[in-house]
Amino acid sequence: MKRYYSTCLLFTAFSGMAVAQILPGAVFMQTYSYPPIGVVSGQALRVSLGNASDSGSACMGNLSFVNSDGTTVKNEDISVDPTKSVSYVLQFSDVPGIAATATAQVRAVVKVQRQLGGIIVSPGPGLVPSCSAVTSVAENCNT
């Protein structure tokens, strides 16, 4: 009985160390997708990504606009330094195949690369994202 108990504790200790070695540096893309917005001639949409972090970690990602078919109309890879923001504008004329008297249905999509940090000792175990992303979409008239 004593030998079995020691073996279980040893296995648990090694499995915990294996998880700790795999998790740091794991990367995933977090997606913020806004609902469709109608844009007419003379209007534009602006999507913004702000980095509210002051820890020195940049937000890396992509700002894009997709049409009603889900096809990407316009996109750009970006990097946002701490306490800064970046905006990306879609003019009505950027949407292909739309008549000047029609309404273009588009939606903004923001993808932010998240890199998970190490294990936090206090207040408890957990993962820390590398930046603090804040997103928004605004409609600009008379551009």
Side-chain angles (χ1 to χ4, degrees):
M1 183 77 165
K2 190 174 191 180
R3 182 178 290 175
Y4 175 75
Y5 184 73
S6 297
T7 304
C8 286
L9 287 178
L10 183 62
F11 176 73
T12 302
F14 281 122
S15 68
M17 287 178 11
V19 170
Q21 291 173 355
I22 293 170
L23 289 179
V27 176
F28 70 96
M29 292 298 278
Q30 184 174 12
T31 302
Y32 303 89
S33 185
Y34 286 88
I37 300 172
V39 181
V40 297
S41 181
Q43 289 183 324
L45 289 180
R46 178 183 311 273
V47 61
S48 300
L49 173 63
N51 185 352
S53 172
D54 59 359
S55 67
S57 299
C59 288
M60 307 276 288
N62 181 277
L63 301 177
S64 65
F65 295 96
V66 298
N67 65 15
S68 58
D69 297 337
T71 304
T72 300
V73 174
K74 189 174 179 181
N75 77 78
E76 184 173 322
D77 292 331
I78 51 103
S79 176
V80 184
D81 290 330
T83 70
K84 305 290 183 198
S85 65
V86 172
S87 293
Y88 193 54
V89 176
L90 175 81
Q91 301 289 337
F92 175 80
S93 59
D94 293 333
V95 183
I98 300 294
T101 58
T103 301
Q105 293 292 324
V106 294
R107 62 185 173 87
V109 178
V110 178
K111 294 181 180 177
V112 179
Q113 179 177 312
R114 298 291 195 180
Q115 182 162 351
L116 302 177
I119 303 299
I120 299 172
V121 176
S122 178
L127 303 173
V128 179
S130 61
C131 75
S132 181
V134 180
T135 69
S136 67
V137 173
E139 186 173 355
N140 296 334
C141 297
N142 303 323
T143 58

